[in-house]
Amino acid sequence: LSDWSSDVCSSDLQVDGADNIQTMTGLPRATPSQEAAGEFRVLAPTYLPQYGGALVGFVNIVTKSGENALHGSVYYYGTNDVLNARPALNTPAASTLKQNQYGITLGGPLKKDKAFLFANWEGQRRLQSNAVPQVVQNNLAMINHVRTLYGLSPETNDQKRTSDYDLAMFKLDYQIGAAHSVMARYNFQTAEALRFPGLFGRGAPTSSAARNTDLQDQTLVVSPTSILGATTINEARVQLARRTFAYTPVVSEPNMEISNLIAMDKSTSDPANYGETRQQFTDNLAHSWKAHEIKAGFDFSSYDDTTVYPLFFPARIIFPNLTAFSTMSPVLFWFPTLKGAASAPAADTSWKQTVPSAWQNAANWQMSHRSYGFFLQDEWTIGHLSLTYGIRDDFETWPDKFHSGT
């Protein structure tokens, strides 16, 4: 998700007003199905002080709620290679596409005029041939000949990837009294993508650069709203969220690259997995006074992040061009070492393990940090003119080792 010509990490996505971004990559967490979205709001880069934590715009998805009348839907979407033209980067024998996406929604009253429930479940099963860049198709025999000499597994031009997920959401709206209400929403997603194409930016990825992904994502949001008088309303929000994402290479063989042309085996810039646990608490108070709509509030979030980052392990081999690759003449053949280590473990050329066991802890990373936001704003209406002004301060705290030079 991106907007206003920005990159995807510069925007903020919210669901029912709660942040839906994970800080490890800046990308959105699991979002509700489109069938569970009641509306969405897009805010331009000149957003109000009450919003923070992003360089440019905001998107807020508001999920559906139950009503006094029982309502629901069943939906299905399917496609396959019989109905689609063969992609240009797939060989005739490798153009599989089979997708089945289905779901159900149901909403209604638990107690008329007082308690309402809305639920949604959606699943997908997809099998698709990976695209094979033309330069790989044209040189596949030579590539596999060289890989055999290095003792590496062969490349293929008929690799298929899966993209399967199950996504569910449950939302409860409860009217406590005339002046108080509470919303609670729980959603989770489990997803698996096998042989997902490698995301190299330095060359066309081959089949050995693919990764197997496994995602587990769940969120609980509770939001009480209170009318404190004829002109004052308060809205609080508590969020508990946990996301884990495994991004495992299909092979743990050395990274081989033909500069700016072809990239093979394990990429050097991606983590093997990451996890994030988040707690968020926000509170906004709005008060109307004459021609003014005054708002004030704060936002606090706590994050606990973990990741495994193998970087250049087990080895990196770089060739300047196809000719050098065909004659096994690399300009770089590098086995990484651990800083400060007196010696390195012997290389295991079976390539069953990315990082040597003795150094595995050095590839594990953990960090806990906090973020805070405070704002005060006023929307002043003067005839047909509306003027909004205010102030906001956002800051984060980090462990000493990340800013003290140690």
Side-chain angles (χ1 to χ4, degrees):
L1 177 70
S2 61
D3 40 41
W4 298 284
S5 301
S6 67
D7 67 71
V8 67
C9 298
S10 299
S11 305
D12 188 25
L13 174 66
Q14 300 179 344
V15 179
D16 294 324
D19 279 349
N20 205 60
I21 299 292
Q22 50 91 13
T23 60
M24 285 294 298
T25 64
L27 300 174
R29 299 201 317 266
T31 56
S33 162
Q34 293 184 26
E35 291 294 317
E39 60 183 79
F40 66 92
R41 184 184 184 190
V42 180
L43 300 177
T46 54
Y47 48 81
L48 303 177
Q50 72 183 86
Y51 300 99
L55 294 177
V56 291
F58 287 79
V59 176
N60 184 31
I61 300 172
V62 180
T63 57
K64 293 179 180 178
S65 296
E67 303 173 353
N68 276 327
L70 185 67
H71 59 89
S73 65
V74 177
Y75 54 94
Y76 170 80
Y77 170 78
T79 187
N80 58 63
D81 41 59
V82 177
L83 304 174
N84 291 270
R86 178 173 63 85
L89 294 180
N90 289 91
T91 62
S95 56
T96 299
L97 173 61
K98 302 181 187 302
Q99 177 176 334
N100 295 284
Q101 185 177 0
Y102 34 78
I104 184 172
T105 67
L106 184 65
L110 296 177
K111 185 175 182 181
K112 190 174 182 180
D113 296 327
K114 196 170 185 70
F116 309 93
L117 179 67
F118 180 84
N120 167 242
W121 170 79
E122 181 175 291
Q124 175 180 282
R125 302 296 179 265
R126 181 182 175 99
L127 180 66
Q128 180 179 4
S129 295
N130 282 339
V132 182
Q134 196 66 49
V135 65
V136 176
Q137 294 186 38
N138 294 342
N139 295 279
L140 185 61
M142 181 270 290
I143 290 173
N144 281 336
H145 172 69
V146 174
R147 291 180 63 83
T148 300
L149 296 176
Y150 274 110
L152 304 177
S153 58
E155 302 289 356
T156 179
N157 62 2
D158 61 353
Q159 187 180 60
K160 298 179 179 63
R161 72 176 185 264
T162 66
S163 180
D164 304 336
Y165 70 79
D166 289 284
L167 173 68
M169 186 194 83
F170 304 92
K171 183 179 180 182
L172 173 68
D173 292 278
Y174 186 73
Q175 191 69 36
I176 301 173
H180 304 283
S181 63
V182 63
M183 180 277 291
R185 171 177 54 83
Y186 173 73
N187 59 273
F188 73 88
Q189 180 177 10
T190 178
E192 180 185 67
L194 301 179
R195 300 170 296 277
F196 186 81
L199 299 179
F200 277 97
R202 302 183 297 272
T206 61
S207 61
S208 65
R211 297 232 176 184
N212 295 328
T213 73
D214 183 84
L215 168 71
Q216 306 291 325
D217 193 308
Q218 55 184 329
T219 303
L220 174 66
V221 176
V222 178
S223 180
T225 301
S226 298
I227 301 174
L228 304 180
T231 59
T232 306
I233 186 171
N234 187 82
E235 182 179 21
R237 190 172 294 108
V238 177
Q239 175 182 201
L240 303 175
R242 173 64 179 167
R243 177 185 178 95
T244 60
F245 181 76
Y247 195 52
T248 309
V250 295
V251 297
S252 297
E253 298 170 346
N255 164 241
M256 297 178 66
E257 295 182 33
I258 304 172
S259 293
N260 300 313
L261 189 64
I262 299 176
M264 293 171 274
D265 304 293
K266 188 190 80 67
S267 64
T268 60
S269 55
D270 297 308
N273 63 65
Y274 68 78
E276 179 169 278
T277 300
R278 178 177 186 174
Q279 300 88 38
Q280 181 186 21
F281 179 65
T282 68
D283 191 82
N284 294 329
L285 181 69
H287 178 71
S288 297
W289 177 71
K290 296 183 178 179
H292 298 267
E293 182 72 24
I294 304 169
K295 291 184 179 181
F298 70 90
D299 184 338
F300 166 75
S301 288
S302 173
Y303 313 87
D304 293 294
D305 298 321
T306 60
T307 189
V308 176
Y309 222 141
L311 290 175
F312 298 104
F313 286 99
R316 194 177 191 196
I317 311 171
I318 299 180
F319 302 86
N321 49 54
L322 277 169
T323 300
F325 179 80
S326 66
T327 58
M328 300 179 67
S329 304
V331 294
L332 175 69
F333 197 129
W334 178 47
F335 285 90
T337 59
L338 184 64
K339 183 179 179 181
S343 61
D348 179 7
T349 55
S350 67
W351 312 120
K352 297 185 182 301
Q353 188 171 358
T354 304
V355 181
S357 298
W359 289 353
Q360 182 60 57
N361 287 339
N364 300 336
W365 179 84
Q366 186 276 333
M367 182 180 73
S368 297
H369 59 111
R370 312 287 180 264
S371 66
Y372 306 82
F374 302 89
F375 79 91
L376 176 64
Q377 75 177 43
D378 177 31
E379 184 176 345
W380 184 14
T381 303
I382 311 169
H384 296 290
L385 176 66
S386 178
L387 173 65
T388 301
Y389 56 95
I391 186 173
R392 183 179 182 95
D393 184 26
D394 288 292
F395 63 94
E396 294 188 55
T397 59
W398 301 85
D400 289 343
K401 64 180 180 180
F402 292 107
H403 57 72
S404 64
T406 58

